[in-house]
Amino acid sequence: MPSLVRFSSSRVAEVVPDLERTPEPDEVLIRTLYSGISAGTELTAYRGSNPYLNKRWDDDSRLFVDGDTSISYPVDGWGYEEVGEVVSLGSSAEGVSVGDVIWGTWGHRSHTVKKASWAAGRILDATVDPRIGIFSQIGGIALNLVLDADIHIGETVAVFGLGVPGQLAAQLARLNGGRVIAVDNLPARRELALELGAEVALDPADGGVAERIRELTDGRGADVCLEVSGNYRALHEAVRSVAYSSRVCVAGFMQGDGVGLRLGEEFHHNRIALICSQISGVAPSLQHRWNYDRLARTAIQLAAEKRLNVTDLITHTVPMALAADAFQMLDERPEEALQVVLSFDEEVTA
């Protein structure tokens, strides 16, 4: 029986039956192997803080408006980090075979039906670890952030927040020629960032992050800061840490009011540019060459070529039946995990 993860209400996750579908002639049925949990955006839906649960997004005006909501509980099959195996084909499906491993986005569900043409463009190399496939969107998000940052060889890049997207962005910044300073309050995440190539790792609890970054850059400050924590105080420190007339690129999903962000200080006096990096689009100067598909494909290719290390970010693999426990851990004890993966075959490992 197909199944999916449902957020029944705020902070309540459960596994429930899903509809069973038979592929149309031009479709394929995919059985999910692994599905990754996003500890950022996805947790906002689990917790109930996502603005789509509290306001309505108006496509025409591109504004959030009061009075209604875009989504409401129960929320079924949230998730965007999936990889699965083709188990059956429609009668006219082409370009894909039973047994092919497909990466993409279809939420925390045991099965999905997709167009054969869609699946054919997302076949994972059979020689690589299939778990690489869950990093297509989160890898694309990190790559989009690095493209927005416009990093040049020899520049210093400070990364605030070393969760999964921050770890990926730090690696990609190095591939782009940057010298990386990593900032996070969790020792294990700082240590991992150093292992994956960051030059320096700073603990904000020690204070003086901006001052330390200036010491490391001959008083200049970072050439660019990447904010991936979703924390307003971290964003403020990123603004303090960047060089005069430079930019801070923000991919963290900020929640609520901006407590701790003081725009009348360094932001105003140092002419800092704040750039929002969000996966729905790319920088205007790149739109004729880059789009979401290219971002995702590039992330998968870099991981398959072992130029981007993704599997070392996985700390827990949990059977889908225990999805509620996984979400509770990420919500209440985030320091215990980095990338949590739901498995559809394996026992609990950590």
Side-chain angles (χ1 to χ4, degrees):
M1 169 77 67
S3 56
L4 58 79
V5 175
R6 167 177 291 169
F7 299 155
S8 302
S9 59
S10 175
R11 289 183 162 89
V12 177
E14 57 183 337
V15 178
V16 299
D18 194 8
L19 295 176
E20 190 166 359
R21 281 193 55 195
T22 300
E24 297 293 330
D26 62 345
E27 293 179 330
V28 299
L29 176 64
I30 300 170
R31 179 181 68 85
T32 307
L33 297 172
Y34 300 101
S35 184
I37 298 176
S38 160
T41 301
E42 191 173 347
L43 278 193
T44 69
Y46 172 75
R47 291 168 173 155
S49 63
N50 191 291
Y52 282 94
L53 285 162
N54 301 290
K55 295 183 179 181
R56 179 176 61 83
W57 173 255
D58 183 81
D59 285 325
D60 293 332
S61 65
R62 294 198 63 81
L63 293 172
F64 281 103
V65 295
D66 294 322
D68 196 2
T69 63
S70 294
I71 59 176
S72 59
Y73 292 117
V75 178
D76 286 347
W78 193 289
Y80 49 75
E81 304 178 11
E82 285 72 52
V83 63
E85 178 185 20
V86 175
V87 292
S88 68
L89 308 173
S91 59
S92 62
E94 296 181 349
V96 62
S97 302
V98 170
D100 284 343
V101 175
I102 309 298
W103 56 265
T105 294
W106 54 83
H108 301 307
R109 46 178 29 100
S110 63
H111 296 77
T112 189
V113 171
K114 295 290 187 182
K115 293 289 187 183
S117 57
W118 181 93
R122 292 165 175 79
I123 298 175
L124 192 64
D125 188 328
T127 65
V128 305
D129 187 331
R131 296 177 301 168
I132 284 174
I134 71 168
F135 290 91
S136 63
Q137 177 146 325
I138 201 69
I141 289 169
L143 178 55
N144 200 30
L145 174 62
V146 169
L147 292 178
D148 279 323
D150 191 25
I151 298 163
H152 303 95
I153 292 174
E155 291 188 330
T156 296
V157 182
V159 180
F160 287 75
L162 300 175
V164 173
Q167 297 281 358
L168 294 173
Q171 292 184 64
L172 291 166
R174 284 190 64 248
L175 287 177
N176 213 43
R179 169 202 185 201
V180 173
I181 299 173
V183 184
D184 198 281
N185 62 349
L186 295 179
R189 296 187 180 188
R190 296 196 302 273
E191 292 168 9
L192 180 59
L194 291 172
E195 292 172 8
L196 296 178
E199 185 170 309
V200 178
L202 303 178
D203 183 354
D206 293 338
V209 169
E211 290 79 2
R212 181 66 176 135
I213 289 175
R214 277 174 160 70
E215 290 174 4
L216 294 166
T217 55
D218 298 323
R220 181 181 58 251
D223 294 285
V224 64
C225 287
L226 310 181
E227 204 304 303
V228 209
S229 73
N231 183 290
Y232 286 108
R233 289 182 172 84
L235 174 57
H236 183 71
E237 198 65 19
V239 168
R240 296 187 69 238
S241 299
V242 79
Y244 176 82
S245 202
S246 294
R247 66 174 57 187
V248 176
C249 292
V250 185
F253 191 11
M254 303 290 176
Q255 301 288 291
D257 294 335
V259 177
L261 180 62
R262 300 184 294 278
L263 297 181
E265 298 181 6
E266 289 84 2
F267 170 77
H268 180 78
H269 290 80
N270 286 338
R271 294 177 52 88
I272 304 303
L274 283 180
I275 307 296
C276 174
S277 183
Q278 207 271 348
I279 195 61
S280 63
V282 297
S285 62
L286 301 177
Q287 286 178 357
H288 63 297
R289 293 185 287 118
W290 284 89
N291 58 21
Y292 172 79
D293 278 349
R294 186 177 179 186
L295 290 169
R297 293 176 196 280
T298 301
I300 291 294
Q301 181 179 355
L302 289 171
E305 294 172 352
K306 298 184 178 180
R307 298 172 65 194
L308 182 65
N309 187 323
V310 297
T311 54
D312 279 359
L313 307 182
I314 298 172
T315 55
H316 294 70
T317 301
V318 179
M320 186 192 184
L322 300 181
D325 295 339
F327 279 99
Q328 184 176 9
M329 175 182 65
L330 286 170
D331 180 34
E332 298 177 359
R333 307 183 306 279
E335 70 282 356
E336 294 183 9
L338 192 56
Q339 178 65 68
V340 176
V341 177
L342 300 179
S343 169
F344 294 78
D345 293 314
E346 298 182 0
E347 298 300 321
V348 179
T349 63

